[in-house]
Amino acid sequence: AQAIFARAVPTNGARVVQTFAMVKIVKKSGRKGQEPVTRDYTIHLHKLLQKIQFKKRAGRAIREIRKFAARAMTTKDIRIDTKLNKFVWSNGVRNVPTRVRIRLSRKRNEDEEAKEKMFTLVQHVPVESFKNLQTETVKDDELLAIACSPFATKGLNNSGVWYGHLE
């Protein structure tokens, strides 16, 4: 609350009169409740791995992806898909891919004993080229359209998460 002060200045040595007018400030409520959302991002791993010794690069890349996902989706529980892990490690511990396109999916935690209400699933999105790619929000119906596409080699797994690639 903010106080406005009014003071009467005495001329004859009388005592000082103070009046306070309290102004009510409406505070915005904290962060809006997190909702499930899916977005595609490109991470430039090369600039994050400069000055990292060779034998620690792939592990550091996974940690940097985890850190990026935590910042982008504001969740502490980050789950990295095995296909993304295989992609990062595909050229060995030293030669990590320069860039990686990932799909971040913020989902509700089904486990009752979980500390966090939401978790983030990080998946690899294979792309031909990284030119002119931007962050995109993926809608659920688009995921289903991709899964039902005749070009899809895999589909949705039993938890409703897209896996596979288009040919």
Side-chain angles (χ1 to χ4, degrees), residues 77-113:
D77 188 2
I78 308 294
R79 301 175 190 179
I80 294 184
D81 191 36
T82 54
K83 289 187 175 52
L84 174 60
N85 192 47
K86 283 185 191 294
F87 177 75
V88 171
W89 283 86
S90 62
N91 301 336
V93 69
R94 295 169 59 156
N95 302 313
V96 176
T98 307
R99 286 181 173 85
V100 63
R101 185 79 172 168
I102 60 172
R103 176 164 290 153
L104 299 182
S105 304
R106 187 191 304 137
K107 299 177 175 244
R108 285 195 175 83
N109 215 337
E110 301 297 326
D111 189 19
E112 283 88 30
E113 297 103 37

mmCIF file of all heavy atoms in Angstrom, residues 77-113:
data_model
loop_
_atom_site.group_PDB
_atom_site.id
_atom_site.type_symbol
_atom_site.label_atom_id
_atom_site.label_comp_id
_atom_site.label_asym_id
_atom_site.label_seq_id
_atom_site.Cartn_x
_atom_site.Cartn_y
_atom_site.Cartn_z
ATOM 1 N N ASP A 77 10.804 -30.420 -13.853
ATOM 2 C CA ASP A 77 10.841 -31.820 -14.279
ATOM 3 C C ASP A 77 10.988 -31.866 -15.802
ATOM 4 O O ASP A 77 10.035 -31.592 -16.532
ATOM 5 C CB ASP A 77 9.560 -32.518 -13.819
ATOM 6 C CG ASP A 77 9.597 -34.016 -14.049
ATOM 7 O OD1 ASP A 77 10.632 -34.517 -14.536
ATOM 8 O OD2 ASP A 77 8.592 -34.688 -13.745
ATOM 9 N N ILE A 78 12.190 -32.191 -16.281
ATOM 10 C CA ILE A 78 12.473 -32.247 -17.719
ATOM 11 C C ILE A 78 12.795 -33.691 -18.083
ATOM 12 O O ILE A 78 13.665 -34.302 -17.467
ATOM 13 C CB ILE A 78 13.676 -31.354 -18.097
ATOM 14 C CG1 ILE A 78 13.496 -29.941 -17.549
ATOM 15 C CG2 ILE A 78 13.898 -31.348 -19.595
ATOM 16 C CD1 ILE A 78 12.380 -29.164 -18.146
ATOM 17 N N ARG A 79 12.086 -34.230 -19.097
ATOM 18 C CA ARG A 79 12.324 -35.600 -19.545
ATOM 19 C C ARG A 79 12.794 -35.573 -20.993
ATOM 20 O O ARG A 79 12.085 -35.085 -21.866
ATOM 21 C CB ARG A 79 11.052 -36.431 -19.415
ATOM 22 C CG ARG A 79 10.562 -36.447 -17.972
ATOM 23 C CD ARG A 79 9.266 -37.152 -17.798
ATOM 24 N NE ARG A 79 8.748 -36.906 -16.445
ATOM 25 C CZ ARG A 79 7.610 -37.390 -16.018
ATOM 26 N NH1 ARG A 79 6.848 -38.124 -16.797
ATOM 27 N NH2 ARG A 79 7.213 -37.128 -14.790
ATOM 28 N N ILE A 80 13.986 -36.109 -21.227
ATOM 29 C CA ILE A 80 14.581 -36.089 -22.565
ATOM 30 C C ILE A 80 14.333 -37.430 -23.236
ATOM 31 O O ILE A 80 14.632 -38.484 -22.671
ATOM 32 C CB ILE A 80 16.071 -35.755 -22.483
ATOM 33 C CG1 ILE A 80 16.218 -34.318 -21.988
ATOM 34 C CG2 ILE A 80 16.748 -35.945 -23.826
ATOM 35 C CD1 ILE A 80 17.594 -33.782 -21.936
ATOM 36 N N ASP A 81 13.777 -37.372 -24.447
ATOM 37 C CA ASP A 81 13.464 -38.566 -25.221
ATOM 38 C C ASP A 81 14.751 -39.286 -25.636
ATOM 39 O O ASP A 81 15.780 -38.648 -25.879
ATOM 40 C CB ASP A 81 12.665 -38.140 -26.461
ATOM 41 C CG ASP A 81 12.066 -39.315 -27.193
ATOM 42 O OD1 ASP A 81 11.651 -40.275 -26.525
ATOM 43 O OD2 ASP A 81 12.010 -39.267 -28.434
ATOM 44 N N THR A 82 14.690 -40.609 -25.753
ATOM 45 C CA THR A 82 15.884 -41.376 -26.109
ATOM 46 C C THR A 82 16.364 -41.066 -27.525
ATOM 47 O O THR A 82 17.563 -41.100 -27.793
ATOM 48 C CB THR A 82 15.617 -42.889 -25.988
ATOM 49 O OG1 THR A 82 14.474 -43.210 -26.767
ATOM 50 C CG2 THR A 82 15.383 -43.277 -24.550
ATOM 51 N N LYS A 83 15.438 -40.728 -28.430
ATOM 52 C CA LYS A 83 15.846 -40.409 -29.807
ATOM 53 C C LYS A 83 16.658 -39.110 -29.868
ATOM 54 O O LYS A 83 17.595 -38.994 -30.652
ATOM 55 C CB LYS A 83 14.626 -40.319 -30.709
ATOM 56 C CG LYS A 83 13.998 -41.682 -30.952
ATOM 57 C CD LYS A 83 12.900 -41.599 -31.968
ATOM 58 C CE LYS A 83 12.344 -42.960 -32.311
ATOM 59 N NZ LYS A 83 11.945 -43.771 -31.203
ATOM 60 N N LEU A 84 16.318 -38.145 -29.019
ATOM 61 C CA LEU A 84 17.101 -36.916 -28.941
ATOM 62 C C LEU A 84 18.482 -37.208 -28.374
ATOM 63 O O LEU A 84 19.497 -36.713 -28.877
ATOM 64 C CB LEU A 84 16.390 -35.874 -28.077
ATOM 65 C CG LEU A 84 17.164 -34.583 -27.789
ATOM 66 C CD1 LEU A 84 17.497 -33.855 -29.088
ATOM 67 C CD2 LEU A 84 16.388 -33.688 -26.862
ATOM 68 N N ASN A 85 18.533 -38.043 -27.347
ATOM 69 C CA ASN A 85 19.812 -38.414 -26.748
ATOM 70 C C ASN A 85 20.702 -39.112 -27.776
ATOM 71 O O ASN A 85 21.889 -38.811 -27.900
ATOM 72 C CB ASN A 85 19.574 -39.313 -25.536
ATOM 73 C CG ASN A 85 20.811 -39.501 -24.704
ATOM 74 O OD1 ASN A 85 21.503 -38.548 -24.398
ATOM 75 N ND2 ASN A 85 21.093 -40.733 -24.359
ATOM 76 N N LYS A 86 20.124 -40.031 -28.558
ATOM 77 C CA LYS A 86 20.888 -40.740 -29.598
ATOM 78 C C LYS A 86 21.378 -39.770 -30.670
ATOM 79 O O LYS A 86 22.486 -39.906 -31.178
ATOM 80 C CB LYS A 86 20.039 -41.834 -30.231
ATOM 81 C CG LYS A 86 19.899 -43.070 -29.364
ATOM 82 C CD LYS A 86 19.150 -44.137 -30.111
ATOM 83 C CE LYS A 86 18.752 -45.290 -29.232
ATOM 84 N NZ LYS A 86 19.855 -46.061 -28.719
ATOM 85 N N PHE A 87 20.553 -38.762 -31.011
ATOM 86 C CA PHE A 87 20.960 -37.785 -32.019
ATOM 87 C C PHE A 87 22.149 -36.965 -31.531
ATOM 88 O O PHE A 87 23.093 -36.727 -32.276
ATOM 89 C CB PHE A 87 19.793 -36.867 -32.375
ATOM 90 C CG PHE A 87 20.158 -35.788 -33.346
ATOM 91 C CD1 PHE A 87 20.338 -36.064 -34.688
ATOM 92 C CD2 PHE A 87 20.348 -34.479 -32.912
ATOM 93 C CE1 PHE A 87 20.690 -35.075 -35.582
ATOM 94 C CE2 PHE A 87 20.699 -33.480 -33.796
ATOM 95 C CZ PHE A 87 20.874 -33.785 -35.142
ATOM 96 N N VAL A 88 22.102 -36.528 -30.277
ATOM 97 C CA VAL A 88 23.199 -35.718 -29.732
ATOM 98 C C VAL A 88 24.484 -36.537 -29.678
ATOM 99 O O VAL A 88 25.569 -36.042 -29.994
ATOM 100 C CB VAL A 88 22.831 -35.163 -28.339
ATOM 101 C CG1 VAL A 88 24.025 -34.512 -27.673
ATOM 102 C CG2 VAL A 88 21.701 -34.155 -28.461
ATOM 103 N N TRP A 89 24.379 -37.813 -29.323
ATOM 104 C CA TRP A 89 25.542 -38.673 -29.191
ATOM 105 C C TRP A 89 25.918 -39.364 -30.505
ATOM 106 O O TRP A 89 26.891 -40.130 -30.539
ATOM 107 C CB TRP A 89 25.296 -39.736 -28.118
ATOM 108 C CG TRP A 89 25.410 -39.210 -26.728
ATOM 109 C CD1 TRP A 89 24.436 -38.609 -26.005
ATOM 110 C CD2 TRP A 89 26.563 -39.227 -25.900
ATOM 111 N NE1 TRP A 89 24.912 -38.256 -24.766
ATOM 112 C CE2 TRP A 89 26.216 -38.638 -24.666
ATOM 113 C CE3 TRP A 89 27.869 -39.701 -26.066
ATOM 114 C CZ2 TRP A 89 27.119 -38.492 -23.627
ATOM 115 C CZ3 TRP A 89 28.761 -39.564 -25.010
ATOM 116 C CH2 TRP A 89 28.387 -38.963 -23.814
ATOM 117 N N SER A 90 25.191 -39.111 -31.610
ATOM 118 C CA SER A 90 25.377 -39.859 -32.859
ATOM 119 C C SER A 90 26.782 -39.727 -33.444
ATOM 120 O O SER A 90 27.284 -40.664 -34.056
ATOM 121 C CB SER A 90 24.343 -39.421 -33.903
ATOM 122 O OG SER A 90 24.524 -38.052 -34.207
ATOM 123 N N ASN A 91 27.432 -38.592 -33.272
ATOM 124 C CA ASN A 91 28.782 -38.392 -33.817
ATOM 125 C C ASN A 91 29.866 -38.600 -32.766
ATOM 126 O O ASN A 91 31.017 -38.238 -32.980
ATOM 127 C CB ASN A 91 28.920 -36.982 -34.394
ATOM 128 C CG ASN A 91 27.914 -36.721 -35.483
ATOM 129 O OD1 ASN A 91 27.424 -37.640 -36.114
ATOM 130 N ND2 ASN A 91 27.588 -35.455 -35.685
ATOM 131 N N GLY A 92 29.497 -39.157 -31.620
ATOM 132 C CA GLY A 92 30.465 -39.382 -30.558
ATOM 133 C C GLY A 92 30.412 -38.273 -29.516
ATOM 134 O O GLY A 92 29.639 -37.329 -29.616
ATOM 135 N N VAL A 93 31.264 -38.394 -28.505
ATOM 136 C CA VAL A 93 31.257 -37.447 -27.396
ATOM 137 C C VAL A 93 31.814 -36.089 -27.818
ATOM 138 O O VAL A 93 31.413 -35.050 -27.294
ATOM 139 C CB VAL A 93 32.026 -38.023 -26.181
ATOM 140 C CG1 VAL A 93 33.503 -38.111 -26.455
ATOM 141 C CG2 VAL A 93 31.772 -37.211 -24.937
ATOM 142 N N ARG A 94 32.715 -36.077 -28.801
ATOM 143 C CA ARG A 94 33.382 -34.822 -29.167
ATOM 144 C C ARG A 94 32.636 -34.005 -30.198
ATOM 145 O O ARG A 94 32.571 -32.783 -30.107
ATOM 146 C CB ARG A 94 34.774 -35.136 -29.731
ATOM 147 C CG ARG A 94 35.697 -35.751 -28.732
ATOM 148 C CD ARG A 94 36.931 -36.283 -29.398
ATOM 149 N NE ARG A 94 37.648 -35.242 -30.109
ATOM 150 C CZ ARG A 94 38.932 -35.293 -30.388
ATOM 151 N NH1 ARG A 94 39.640 -36.341 -30.015
ATOM 152 N NH2 ARG A 94 39.525 -34.320 -31.022
ATOM 153 N N ASN A 95 32.095 -34.671 -31.212
ATOM 154 C CA ASN A 95 31.527 -33.972 -32.373
ATOM 155 C C ASN A 95 30.011 -33.869 -32.264
ATOM 156 O O ASN A 95 29.274 -34.537 -32.993
ATOM 157 C CB ASN A 95 31.933 -34.692 -33.656
ATOM 158 C CG ASN A 95 33.435 -34.773 -33.786
ATOM 159 O OD1 ASN A 95 34.120 -33.773 -33.587
ATOM 160 N ND2 ASN A 95 33.947 -35.941 -34.082
ATOM 161 N N VAL A 96 29.552 -33.037 -31.401
ATOM 162 C CA VAL A 96 28.120 -32.833 -31.192
ATOM 163 C C VAL A 96 27.557 -32.054 -32.382
ATOM 164 O O VAL A 96 28.223 -31.150 -32.898
ATOM 165 C CB VAL A 96 27.902 -32.062 -29.868
ATOM 166 C CG1 VAL A 96 26.451 -31.725 -29.644
ATOM 167 C CG2 VAL A 96 28.436 -32.874 -28.710
ATOM 168 N N PRO A 97 26.333 -32.383 -32.859
ATOM 169 C CA PRO A 97 25.740 -31.610 -33.960
ATOM 170 C C PRO A 97 25.682 -30.117 -33.629
ATOM 171 O O PRO A 97 25.467 -29.725 -32.477
ATOM 172 C CB PRO A 97 24.332 -32.196 -34.084
ATOM 173 C CG PRO A 97 24.441 -33.560 -33.508
ATOM 174 C CD PRO A 97 25.482 -33.479 -32.440
ATOM 175 N N THR A 98 25.873 -29.306 -34.658
ATOM 176 C CA THR A 98 25.927 -27.854 -34.456
ATOM 177 C C THR A 98 24.615 -27.295 -33.939
ATOM 178 O O THR A 98 24.595 -26.474 -33.028
ATOM 179 C CB THR A 98 26.286 -27.157 -35.787
ATOM 180 O OG1 THR A 98 27.469 -27.751 -36.294
ATOM 181 C CG2 THR A 98 26.505 -25.690 -35.584
ATOM 182 N N ARG A 99 23.513 -27.739 -34.547
ATOM 183 C CA ARG A 99 22.186 -27.278 -34.121
ATOM 184 C C ARG A 99 21.285 -28.486 -33.948
ATOM 185 O O ARG A 99 21.534 -29.543 -34.530
ATOM 186 C CB ARG A 99 21.563 -26.348 -35.166
ATOM 187 C CG ARG A 99 22.171 -24.979 -35.216
ATOM 188 C CD ARG A 99 21.469 -24.141 -36.276
ATOM 189 N NE ARG A 99 21.909 -22.774 -36.238
ATOM 190 C CZ ARG A 99 22.982 -22.311 -36.843
ATOM 191 N NH1 ARG A 99 23.743 -23.127 -37.539
ATOM 192 N NH2 ARG A 99 23.313 -21.040 -36.754
ATOM 193 N N VAL A 100 20.225 -28.298 -33.189
ATOM 194 C CA VAL A 100 19.231 -29.361 -33.030
ATOM 195 C C VAL A 100 17.852 -28.708 -32.944
ATOM 196 O O VAL A 100 17.690 -27.653 -32.321
ATOM 197 C CB VAL A 100 19.534 -30.240 -31.788
ATOM 198 C CG1 VAL A 100 19.457 -29.445 -30.510
ATOM 199 C CG2 VAL A 100 18.610 -31.430 -31.732
ATOM 200 N N ARG A 101 16.889 -29.306 -33.632
ATOM 201 C CA ARG A 101 15.496 -28.845 -33.588
ATOM 202 C C ARG A 101 14.765 -29.734 -32.593
ATOM 203 O O ARG A 101 14.798 -30.967 -32.717
ATOM 204 C CB ARG A 101 14.868 -28.963 -34.980
ATOM 205 C CG ARG A 101 13.474 -28.407 -35.102
ATOM 206 C CD ARG A 101 13.474 -26.912 -35.219
ATOM 207 N NE ARG A 101 12.138 -26.409 -35.514
ATOM 208 C CZ ARG A 101 11.803 -25.143 -35.444
ATOM 209 N NH1 ARG A 101 12.706 -24.241 -35.136
ATOM 210 N NH2 ARG A 101 10.587 -24.756 -35.703
ATOM 211 N N ILE A 102 14.145 -29.113 -31.589
ATOM 212 C CA ILE A 102 13.488 -29.897 -30.555
ATOM 213 C C ILE A 102 12.028 -29.486 -30.413
ATOM 214 O O ILE A 102 11.645 -28.365 -30.752
ATOM 215 C CB ILE A 102 14.191 -29.763 -29.188
ATOM 216 C CG1 ILE A 102 14.213 -28.320 -28.721
ATOM 217 C CG2 ILE A 102 15.572 -30.362 -29.234
ATOM 218 C CD1 ILE A 102 14.714 -28.144 -27.305
ATOM 219 N N ARG A 103 11.227 -30.416 -29.921
ATOM 220 C CA ARG A 103 9.819 -30.156 -29.616
ATOM 221 C C ARG A 103 9.660 -30.255 -28.112
ATOM 222 O O ARG A 103 9.917 -31.300 -27.518
ATOM 223 C CB ARG A 103 8.930 -31.173 -30.326
ATOM 224 C CG ARG A 103 7.461 -31.023 -29.990
ATOM 225 C CD ARG A 103 6.601 -31.767 -30.971
ATOM 226 N NE ARG A 103 6.663 -31.083 -32.258
ATOM 227 C CZ ARG A 103 6.480 -31.689 -33.426
ATOM 228 N NH1 ARG A 103 6.229 -32.973 -33.472
ATOM 229 N NH2 ARG A 103 6.542 -31.004 -34.551
ATOM 230 N N LEU A 104 9.259 -29.147 -27.483
ATOM 231 C CA LEU A 104 9.035 -29.107 -26.041
ATOM 232 C C LEU A 104 7.535 -29.212 -25.780
ATOM 233 O O LEU A 104 6.770 -28.385 -26.272
ATOM 234 C CB LEU A 104 9.564 -27.807 -25.432
ATOM 235 C CG LEU A 104 11.052 -27.531 -25.584
ATOM 236 C CD1 LEU A 104 11.417 -26.233 -24.898
ATOM 237 C CD2 LEU A 104 11.873 -28.657 -25.022
ATOM 238 N N SER A 105 7.140 -30.220 -25.013
ATOM 239 C CA SER A 105 5.730 -30.435 -24.696
ATOM 240 C C SER A 105 5.542 -30.358 -23.191
ATOM 241 O O SER A 105 6.049 -31.212 -22.461
ATOM 242 C CB SER A 105 5.272 -31.806 -25.189
ATOM 243 O OG SER A 105 5.505 -31.940 -26.563
ATOM 244 N N ARG A 106 4.846 -29.314 -22.742
ATOM 245 C CA ARG A 106 4.533 -29.214 -21.318
ATOM 246 C C ARG A 106 3.258 -30.020 -21.077
ATOM 247 O O ARG A 106 2.241 -29.782 -21.710
ATOM 248 C CB ARG A 106 4.309 -27.767 -20.906
ATOM 249 C CG ARG A 106 4.158 -27.619 -19.405
ATOM 250 C CD ARG A 106 3.684 -26.265 -18.959
ATOM 251 N NE ARG A 106 4.500 -25.176 -19.412
ATOM 252 C CZ ARG A 106 4.005 -24.029 -19.901
ATOM 253 N NH1 ARG A 106 2.714 -23.856 -20.021
ATOM 254 N NH2 ARG A 106 4.798 -23.065 -20.270
ATOM 255 N N LYS A 107 3.343 -30.982 -20.159
ATOM 256 C CA LYS A 107 2.221 -31.882 -19.917
ATOM 257 C C LYS A 107 1.912 -31.953 -18.437
ATOM 258 O O LYS A 107 2.754 -31.650 -17.603
ATOM 259 C CB LYS A 107 2.563 -33.290 -20.421
ATOM 260 C CG LYS A 107 2.835 -33.327 -21.904
ATOM 261 C CD LYS A 107 3.232 -34.716 -22.331
ATOM 262 C CE LYS A 107 3.385 -34.734 -23.823
ATOM 263 N NZ LYS A 107 2.436 -35.590 -24.469
ATOM 264 N N ARG A 108 0.683 -32.402 -18.141
ATOM 265 C CA ARG A 108 0.289 -32.588 -16.744
ATOM 266 C C ARG A 108 0.899 -33.878 -16.218
ATOM 267 O O ARG A 108 0.960 -34.876 -16.912
ATOM 268 C CB ARG A 108 -1.232 -32.671 -16.636
ATOM 269 C CG ARG A 108 -1.894 -31.324 -16.783
ATOM 270 C CD ARG A 108 -3.330 -31.342 -16.318
ATOM 271 N NE ARG A 108 -3.865 -30.001 -16.363
ATOM 272 C CZ ARG A 108 -4.357 -29.443 -17.458
ATOM 273 N NH1 ARG A 108 -4.382 -30.109 -18.582
ATOM 274 N NH2 ARG A 108 -4.820 -28.206 -17.429
ATOM 275 N N ASN A 109 1.315 -33.838 -14.964
ATOM 276 C CA ASN A 109 1.905 -35.007 -14.326
ATOM 277 C C ASN A 109 0.777 -35.879 -13.787
ATOM 278 O O ASN A 109 -0.010 -35.436 -12.961
ATOM 279 C CB ASN A 109 2.844 -34.571 -13.203
ATOM 280 C CG ASN A 109 4.030 -35.471 -13.080
ATOM 281 O OD1 ASN A 109 3.993 -36.616 -13.505
ATOM 282 N ND2 ASN A 109 5.082 -34.957 -12.478
ATOM 283 N N GLU A 110 0.693 -37.126 -14.258
ATOM 284 C CA GLU A 110 -0.381 -38.020 -13.840
ATOM 285 C C GLU A 110 -0.124 -38.598 -12.450
ATOM 286 O O GLU A 110 -1.050 -39.030 -11.773
ATOM 287 C CB GLU A 110 -0.513 -39.171 -14.850
ATOM 288 C CG GLU A 110 -0.808 -38.708 -16.268
ATOM 289 C CD GLU A 110 -2.136 -37.976 -16.395
ATOM 290 O OE1 GLU A 110 -3.093 -38.338 -15.678
ATOM 291 O OE2 GLU A 110 -2.218 -37.029 -17.197
ATOM 292 N N ASP A 111 1.125 -38.614 -12.030
ATOM 293 C CA ASP A 111 1.496 -39.203 -10.746
ATOM 294 C C ASP A 111 1.029 -38.310 -9.596
ATOM 295 O O ASP A 111 1.321 -37.118 -9.570
ATOM 296 C CB ASP A 111 3.020 -39.389 -10.699
ATOM 297 C CG ASP A 111 3.465 -40.192 -9.499
ATOM 298 O OD1 ASP A 111 2.609 -40.886 -8.925
ATOM 299 O OD2 ASP A 111 4.652 -40.128 -9.157
ATOM 300 N N GLU A 112 0.285 -38.882 -8.648
ATOM 301 C CA GLU A 112 -0.242 -38.083 -7.526
ATOM 302 C C GLU A 112 0.853 -37.633 -6.568
ATOM 303 O O GLU A 112 0.754 -36.570 -5.969
ATOM 304 C CB GLU A 112 -1.294 -38.876 -6.738
ATOM 305 C CG GLU A 112 -2.652 -38.956 -7.407
ATOM 306 C CD GLU A 112 -2.754 -40.131 -8.366
ATOM 307 O OE1 GLU A 112 -2.083 -41.149 -8.129
ATOM 308 O OE2 GLU A 112 -3.484 -40.008 -9.360
ATOM 309 N N GLU A 113 1.896 -38.461 -6.392
ATOM 310 C CA GLU A 113 2.937 -38.121 -5.429
ATOM 311 C C GLU A 113 3.981 -37.162 -5.994
ATOM 312 O O GLU A 113 4.953 -36.840 -5.319
ATOM 313 C CB GLU A 113 3.655 -39.400 -4.951
ATOM 314 C CG GLU A 113 2.762 -40.368 -4.208
ATOM 315 C CD GLU A 113 2.359 -41.536 -5.085
ATOM 316 O OE1 GLU A 113 3.187 -41.991 -5.887
ATOM 317 O OE2 GLU A 113 1.196 -41.963 -4.985
#
